[in-house]
């Protein structure tokens, strides 16, 4: 089967998740079994909005961190 490379469909996928970290300067989550997955998003702008909302809800807890990860 030959793929048509002239027509490329660019799809992005981002996931936003967070939880308690062991060190405020690091990315090691204390409990990976209970991460708060906010959702999967097809564009960075929506992922960023979700990240901001989740981060704002936990602004007083320095040990709770949310991240945006681009899956593809």
């Amino acid at each position: 089967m030959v793929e048509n490379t002239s027509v490329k469909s660019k799809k992005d996928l981002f996931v936003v998740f967070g939880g308690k970290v062991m060190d405020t300067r690091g990315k090691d989550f204390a409990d990976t079994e209970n991460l708060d997955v906010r959702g999967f998003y097809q564009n960075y702008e929506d992922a960023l909005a979700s990240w901001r909302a989740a981060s704002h809800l936990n602004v007083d807890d320095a040990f709770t961190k949310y991240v945006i990860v681009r899956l593809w």
Side-chain angles (χ1 to χ4, degrees), residues 30-65:
D31 185 7
T32 56
E33 296 287 323
N34 293 308
L35 290 175
D36 177 20
V37 179
R38 304 301 288 188
F40 293 85
Y41 304 92
Q42 292 183 359
N43 60 63
Y44 183 78
E45 291 77 21
D46 290 345
L48 182 61
S50 176
W51 172 84
R52 281 190 176 137
S55 295
H56 182 71
L57 289 173
N58 294 284
V59 71
D60 292 329
D61 184 357
F63 285 92
T64 298
K65 181 181 279 191

